Amino acid sequence: MTNKLVVAYERVSSISQNLGRQTSGLDDIRKFDRRYQDKISGSIPFAERPAGKRLIGDIDKRLS
């Protein structure tokens, strides 16, 4: 049986925006093993976002 990896993916549209609004209170609800954060437009496909790529890569590694 594989242990589950609990992750959070957080995104804001621009560098000037604060990820804190995305993350506030999350740690009170659940403990995350990893956090992935992007400051990039939502029009960019998930697989092309830097943190999105890392998340997909980490999933692929765990499944292989």
Side-chain angles (χ1 to χ4, degrees):
M1 183 173 185
T2 326
N3 290 336
K4 289 185 181 181
L5 183 65
V6 179
V7 302
Y9 177 78
E10 301 141 355
R11 184 195 62 81
V12 291
S13 296
S14 69
I15 292 172
S16 64
Q17 291 179 310
N18 185 346
L19 279 161
R21 292 180 69 189
Q22 296 286 324
T23 62
S24 67
L26 283 180
D27 290 319
D28 295 336
I29 298 169
R30 173 166 234 162
K31 177 171 177 350
F32 295 98
D33 299 306
R34 291 196 187 130
R35 294 185 106 92
Y36 298 85
Q37 298 179 330
D38 273 323
K39 289 188 174 186
I40 193 166
S41 170
S43 67
I44 305 298
F46 183 77
E48 294 177 19
R49 301 174 192 171
K53 287 180 189 178
R54 284 193 305 278
L55 175 54
I56 291 169
D58 288 348
I59 290 169
D60 288 342
K61 286 178 203 170
R62 272 186 86 77
L63 295 177
S64 59

